[in-house]
Amino acid sequence: MGYKSILTVLTNPGQKAQFDAAVNLARREDAHLDVFCLGVDHTQSGFYYAGASAYVFQEAIDRAMAAAGDLQGKVQAALEPKDIRWSVDSAVAQIGGLGALVGSRARYSDLVVLGRPYEGESSADGEAITEAALFEGGAPVLIVPSELPENLGKKILVAWDQSNEALVATRRALPLLQAADSVEITVVDPSPHSPERSDPGGTLCQMLTRHGVKAEIAVLARTLPKISEILARRATEIGADMIVMGAYGHSRFRQAILGGATRNMLEAATIPIFMAR
């Protein structure tokens, strides 16, 4: 089963790479592309003196509505000549309400295409939108950098740590893995006491090859402090143009304070990352 309903969420006109990636993937998968244009109100009413909040709130909402409408018009104009099925919608929300709004859209999508949440103009809202798609929407997310590889998904690295999140991500990425020329299951410093013991990645490789995936396994020592650094270096070594990995094995709060593989990969990603949980 491929991706027949693809969603991308835009908050400003500068997210061209994200938009182009969503269009190209929709064309390749013969999917319907839903573009959701968001106007975000960042005001915090408690910061203003008594009586001023209502005026500030209304002005901020008006600005957000105008921005969302303008963005929707630009997206429609850009999609008119495209040879894909598409729809465009817009809405306005406060930053604290993004979760429910984006989650309700992502919930019925096969795949959500987003930009890096810590990059450029999208940094203010990108993290909230990404987490909403993953947690509230329960959808897999493809994070794309500002510059896309020419042949997206030809060589894919699967980050395998035997976790439920990694297995879910691999299953949800199966259409991309089947279309890839080659897939490497990368295991970093596996425990000898794990369920897979002396054959880390072996059972996953067997499952994927039965689905027609051209998969092989690489077991790496932990030679750098962060797992994300090892994965990024390995992706460069083998010329991978996409990484598939589980998202947020620990809580979002812990990742925000202490860091984690998910957050570190999102901050430093130079190639697309497919995430699910």
Side-chain angles (χ1 to χ4, degrees):
M1 184 184 73
Y3 307 109
K4 296 306 177 185
S5 182
I6 296 175
L7 169 70
T8 190
V9 182
L10 303 177
T11 57
N12 65 78
Q15 296 168 290
K16 187 176 185 303
Q18 173 183 334
F19 175 76
D20 289 344
V23 169
N24 292 337
L25 197 56
R27 182 183 295 112
R28 190 174 85 174
E29 296 291 318
D30 190 26
H32 183 99
L33 175 63
D34 293 305
V35 183
F36 192 31
C37 301
L38 268 181
V40 185
D41 168 25
H42 297 94
T43 58
Q44 301 293 331
S45 58
F47 292 162
Y48 302 100
Y49 60 83
S53 296
Y55 297 100
V56 173
F57 178 72
Q58 186 60 53
E59 183 180 355
I61 288 294
D62 290 343
R63 285 199 305 269
M65 290 179 63
D70 180 62
L71 182 57
Q72 182 177 2
K74 291 179 179 178
V75 169
Q76 286 176 331
L79 285 171
E80 286 290 348
K82 304 295 184 183
D83 56 340
I84 60 170
R85 299 184 300 277
W86 56 270
S87 60
V88 183
D89 196 8
S90 64
V92 172
Q94 288 190 303
I95 185 69
L98 285 179
L101 187 59
V102 174
S104 65
R105 299 300 181 105
R107 187 177 183 183
Y108 300 102
S109 300
D110 297 322
L111 179 65
V112 181
V113 179
L114 299 174
R116 281 176 55 188
Y118 304 102
E119 181 179 53
E121 297 180 38
S122 66
S123 59
D125 315 309
E127 184 175 9
I129 292 172
T130 301
E131 292 186 356
L134 286 167
F135 284 84
E136 281 78 8
V141 174
L142 179 64
I143 303 293
V144 296
S146 55
E147 294 185 9
L148 290 173
E150 291 185 7
N151 297 311
L152 182 64
K154 292 299 182 182
K155 174 73 175 182
I156 300 178
L157 183 153
V158 175
W160 180 240
D161 61 0
Q162 304 173 47
S163 67
N164 290 335
E165 291 82 8
L167 182 57
V168 169
T170 304
R171 289 186 185 277
R172 302 295 286 273
L174 194 54
L176 294 172
L177 299 177
Q178 290 172 319
D181 291 339
S182 63
V183 173
E184 179 180 287
I185 300 169
T186 304
V187 188
V188 179
D189 192 24
S191 170
H193 306 294
S194 68
E196 295 182 347
R197 293 183 173 84
S198 62
D199 187 25
T203 308
L204 178 65
C205 186
Q206 182 184 69
M207 183 192 82
L208 292 179
T209 54
R210 286 174 178 173
H211 282 279
V213 178
K214 304 176 186 66
E216 57 185 18
I217 304 169
V219 180
L220 309 179
R222 185 164 185 167
T223 56
L224 293 170
K226 296 179 180 179
I227 297 294
S228 58
E229 294 175 336
I230 299 173
L231 293 175
R233 184 177 67 180
R234 181 61 180 175
T236 301
E237 288 174 351
I238 66 174
D241 53 36
M242 183 184 298
I243 294 175
V244 173
M245 64 183 293
Y248 294 103
H250 300 294
S251 72
R252 288 173 284 178
F253 177 77
R254 176 177 174 179
Q255 294 243 1
I257 301 301
L258 301 177
T262 303
R263 185 180 179 89
N264 293 335
M265 288 300 295
L266 291 176
E267 288 176 337
T270 57
I271 60 175
I273 299 179
F274 184 102
M275 290 184 167
R277 67 180 313 280

